[in-house]
Amino acid sequence: MKWQDGVIYANQVVKGEILVCRNVLLACQRFLNQLENKEWEWEFHPAAVDHFIKFASLLRHAKGADAGKPLVLEPFQILLICGIYGFWSKKDKGKRMTTDVIVYIPRKAGKSTLIAVIGLYELIFGEKGSEVYTLATSRDQASIVFTSAVGLIESMPQEVAGLFNVQKMHITKLGDSQSMFKALSRDTKKTGDGLNPSCAIIDEAAQIIDRNSIEVLHSGMVARKNPLRIYITTASFTKDTKFYEDLLMFQSMLSGEAPDNPRWFGLLYGLDPQDDWRDPLIWGKANPMHGISVFEEAIAARAEEAKYKPATLNEFLCKTLNVFVSANSAWIDRSHWDECGAPVDTREPEAVFIGFDLAATRDLNAVCTLKRYGEDDFFAEWKFFLPEDALGYVPQHYQDIFRNAKDSGILHLTQGNVMDDREISEYIKQQAGKYDIKEIGYDAYNAASLIARLHDDAMPVKKVGQGMAVLSNPSKHLEKLILGKNIKHNGNQFLGWQLQNCEVYEDVNGNIKIRKNEADKSAKVDGIIALIIAVHCSLDHPIDSGSYGFRTF
């Protein structure tokens, strides 16, 4: 292992000899540009990187098939070490350039071992009284990192292992009682209050929703000359996190959309938007350990399962290919939904049903009009309503989705900061003027005044309970219609996004309920729920009058 291996890796990436996603390509080019820049305030010190590599070469794997074998850093890991420890100030020789690091990488890429090596190195070779903390999402995750560090110490030559003092819950540096290596976990509420971290390693940062647990560690580092904060994580099912905000910021730096801050460094592995997850040729882009600790045969088996079991797709995309998704257990692969896109049907429908789902007074409201032409022949259209002031509260990462919905006409912004449901009732009345509406189903939540107005106009309204007993059958029927391409729509991306946010819950009796992933409170599924309500009404009024309905109270 030598520092040049990291530079060679970066060059191979830039030359296209190693297939990676655009973010990694940009990071490698950025690193090489920094390396060649002789005119700025930082300079590269190979000896600093070699010092870390020499320390790592003393370590051996503590468990698994490689137990007892020397620890060998892969080229991408050496590039990471070059980025962290290579650059130092020309004016102040003791000041390191990099303070914030993102290692965005899938499962089974050696994250825990790498965390432990960096943590032990910072404990021994950081400033006196170094405090190294790893923050994890749970006690179990925290113990994995700590146990890995202890195992590495046990594998060291005695003269090196003697530099560490291993306690039950922490590790200290011999002769420095103020030093500390300790794992913190969210479920014990130990968030770092009152600490003075020199190094904070946030493990599985994408899953930590409580931003305070990260910020309190970061704010405690202000007195350190060479603080080091490292996000090391796989993708997750929510974007409402401190990590995701910083990920977007660093991506903007890489792409040139935001001013570059050289104190940030990162390698962001994953897929590009145009990549087809079914294509084995692109799997290696997402994981630099592909073929080393992650084998194609195992990925192929998971991919094949994901093709036929939609509930496993999001897990595969998120944890194997490092793609952010909005639900833990996907309901329907979006590709099936997109294949149902079609021009507006001009035929006269056999029956028309409306379902609507009202949210809080400052949130999204959805109305679905479902046209039935036959038992397995439907066309659905939607209208959404949102107070215009509420658009400003939509998270930045969803702003484009809402903006495109508004521009397409499917989303109507109402005046003010609260919803005036009279505009919704007027829209429903307009639909009733265009079609002979057989039934209007609704979720009773927040619907009292609107329903009163529809009652006054003699509209055929019906309360549809939101329990599993009521919605299981129409949900399953809708799934069948989508998979059979028997329900068409105009292909608006706002609905495709909402379908991706749907997860399915199944009870022991096989009943299902479609719901939003609660970890991502900003994700929306209202349009899909309105469609399920409309399908419920359709099933309650079958074409064949001799058939049984499905009404459940």
Side-chain angles (χ1 to χ4, degrees):
M1 299 184 295
K2 53 186 183 297
W3 68 269
Q4 291 92 337
D5 293 336
V7 180
I8 292 171
Y9 176 83
N11 273 298
Q12 289 176 322
V13 165
V14 170
K15 292 177 181 178
E17 296 172 5
I18 297 176
L19 184 64
V20 296
C21 65
R22 182 172 181 267
N23 283 328
V24 175
L25 173 63
L26 293 174
C28 288
Q29 184 63 69
R30 176 177 181 260
F31 168 79
L32 294 174
N33 292 344
Q34 293 173 339
L35 192 66
E36 296 171 1
N37 189 345
K38 306 302 181 184
E39 299 179 355
W40 70 336
E41 61 181 302
W42 310 98
E43 60 184 354
F44 188 77
H45 287 221
V49 182
D50 277 337
H51 189 263
F52 183 97
I53 292 174
K54 183 178 180 180
F55 172 76
S57 67
L58 299 174
L59 309 180
R60 292 180 178 272
H61 291 280
K63 62 181 179 179
D66 292 331
K69 295 180 180 179
L71 180 68
V72 177
L73 296 178
E74 297 300 324
F76 85 94
Q77 294 172 322
I78 296 177
L79 172 60
L80 178 69
I81 300 307
C82 286
I84 296 174
Y85 295 105
F87 292 96
W88 296 77
S89 172
K90 291 178 180 178
K91 295 181 179 179
D92 184 350
K93 300 298 183 181
K95 183 178 181 180
R96 191 175 60 225
M97 180 179 79
T98 301
T99 59
D100 291 274
V101 179
I102 299 179
V103 187
Y104 181 56
I105 200 166
R107 278 180 178 169
K108 304 303 179 184
K111 294 198 301 296
S112 296
T113 300
L114 186 61
I115 288 173
V117 175
I118 293 175
L120 292 174
Y121 183 83
E122 285 290 316
L123 177 65
I124 292 297
F125 299 107
E127 61 186 89
K128 188 174 178 59
S130 55
E131 295 182 24
V132 180
Y133 298 100
T134 61
L135 175 66
T137 55
S138 67
R139 184 181 289 105
D140 289 343
Q141 184 71 26
S143 66
I144 290 173
V145 176
F146 184 78
T147 302
S148 295
V150 173
L152 290 173
I153 294 173
E154 293 172 346
S155 74
M156 293 176 181
Q158 186 55 46
E159 62 271 22
V160 181
L163 299 175
F164 298 92
N165 182 18
V166 180
Q167 307 285 327
K168 182 178 180 181
M169 300 300 294
H170 64 272
I171 304 168
T172 60
K173 178 182 177 180
L174 189 67
D176 186 357
S177 62
Q178 301 303 306
S179 65
M180 177 79 69
F181 180 111
K182 190 172 185 179
L184 308 175
S185 62
R186 286 298 308 128
D187 59 2
T188 60
K189 305 301 181 184
K190 296 176 181 178
T191 61
D193 290 292
L195 303 179
N196 182 25
S198 56
C199 177
I201 304 173
I202 299 97
D203 188 18
E204 295 301 351
Q207 297 183 32
I208 300 178
I209 299 174
D210 178 12
R211 62 190 299 125
N212 180 66
S213 60
I214 295 174
E215 291 174 340
V216 75
L217 279 176
H218 194 215
S219 64
M221 304 173 83
V222 293
R224 298 289 184 172
K225 183 174 183 178
N226 288 314
L228 181 61
R229 177 178 58 162
I230 303 177
Y231 290 120
I232 186 161
T233 185
T234 301
S236 185
F237 303 106
T238 178
K239 297 178 180 178
D240 286 339
T241 63
K242 168 64 175 168
F243 164 74
Y244 193 76
E245 290 179 6
D246 288 341
L247 177 69
L248 289 182
M249 180 190 67
F250 185 61
Q251 285 177 331
S252 297
M253 291 186 207
L254 291 177
S255 64
E257 297 173 3
D260 194 9
N261 181 350
R263 311 213 73 179
W264 281 79
F265 180 78
L267 294 174
L268 315 180
Y269 288 92
L271 299 185
D272 291 312
Q274 72 274 13
D275 289 334
D276 183 354
W277 63 267
R278 302 169 185 82
D279 183 1
L281 296 177
I282 59 91
W283 293 341
K285 292 175 67 171
N287 199 325
M289 297 296 281
H290 189 77
I292 301 172
S293 63
V294 179
F295 299 102
E296 185 160 329
E297 182 179 350
I299 297 179
R302 295 178 193 142
E304 192 66 18
E305 183 179 14
K307 289 179 184 177
Y308 300 102
K309 294 182 179 179
T312 68
L313 176 58
N314 273 5
E315 177 73 15
F316 175 74
L317 291 174
C318 186
K319 301 306 179 183
T320 302
L321 299 182
N322 217 28
V323 176
F324 265 91
V325 292
S326 298
N328 290 282
S329 181
W331 178 34
I332 298 173
D333 186 340
R334 180 172 170 176
S335 64
H336 296 295
W337 175 263
D338 291 341
E339 289 169 358
C340 293
V344 175
D345 200 318
T346 58
R347 293 176 293 164
E348 185 69 24
E350 176 270 333
V352 178
F353 306 90
I354 287 180
F356 65 85
D357 183 40
L358 300 187
T361 55
R362 298 178 63 182
D363 211 341
L364 191 68
N365 297 267
V367 180
C368 174
T369 303
L370 182 65
K371 306 172 189 178
R372 186 174 69 190
Y373 301 95
E375 287 187 357
D376 292 317
D377 190 0
F378 292 84
F379 191 94
E381 60 185 41
W382 286 264
K383 192 72 172 182
F384 294 89
F385 300 83
L386 180 72
E388 58 182 355
D389 289 358
L391 190 61
Y393 294 97
V394 174
Q396 187 63 40
H397 51 274
Y398 289 147
Q399 282 285 339
D400 285 344
I401 295 173
F402 277 76
R403 192 175 297 111
N404 291 337
K406 174 181 175 293
D407 292 343
S408 73
I410 198 173
L411 173 61
H412 173 67
L413 298 182
T414 63
Q415 292 184 352
N417 58 4
V418 295
M419 188 67 226
D420 184 351
D421 60 25
R422 286 176 295 185
E423 295 200 43
I424 301 176
S425 60
E426 286 303 313
Y427 171 76
I428 293 175
K429 292 175 184 178
Q430 291 173 16
Q431 293 296 87
K434 294 164 57 178
Y435 308 108
D436 181 15
I437 306 297
K438 184 155 289 189
E439 192 163 63
I440 302 171
Y442 66 93
D443 173 7
Y445 178 73
N446 270 349
S449 60
L450 191 154
I451 293 303
R453 286 193 295 274
L454 295 181
H455 265 301
D456 290 342
D457 288 325
M459 295 285 182
V461 293
K462 180 185 72 174
K463 175 182 174 182
V464 177
Q466 298 300 292
M468 183 175 287
V470 177
L471 297 182
S472 178
N473 192 67
S475 299
K476 289 180 177 180
H477 190 70
L478 176 57
E479 179 177 331
K480 178 182 175 182
L481 291 173
I482 295 172
L483 296 179
K485 301 181 181 60
N486 294 319
I487 183 167
K488 304 297 183 183
H489 54 83
N490 71 358
N492 194 289
Q493 297 298 302
F494 200 44
L495 271 301
W497 168 65
Q498 292 185 42
L499 185 80
Q500 287 180 300
N501 297 333
C502 291
E503 66 178 12
V504 59
Y505 172 74
E506 183 173 354
D507 69 11
V508 294
N509 297 315
N511 296 311
I512 68 170
K513 183 173 182 178
I514 308 308
R515 61 187 185 186
K516 178 177 71 175
N517 173 26
E518 288 303 318
D520 189 351
K521 298 186 183 301
S522 300
K524 302 300 177 187
V525 298
D526 308 77
I528 304 300
I529 300 303
L531 173 58
I532 292 173
I533 291 173
V535 171
H536 171 88
C537 295
S538 173
L539 289 173
D540 231 15
H541 295 271
I543 295 176
D544 182 358
S545 60
S547 299
Y548 292 100
F550 295 93
R551 186 187 300 256
T552 307
F553 295 98

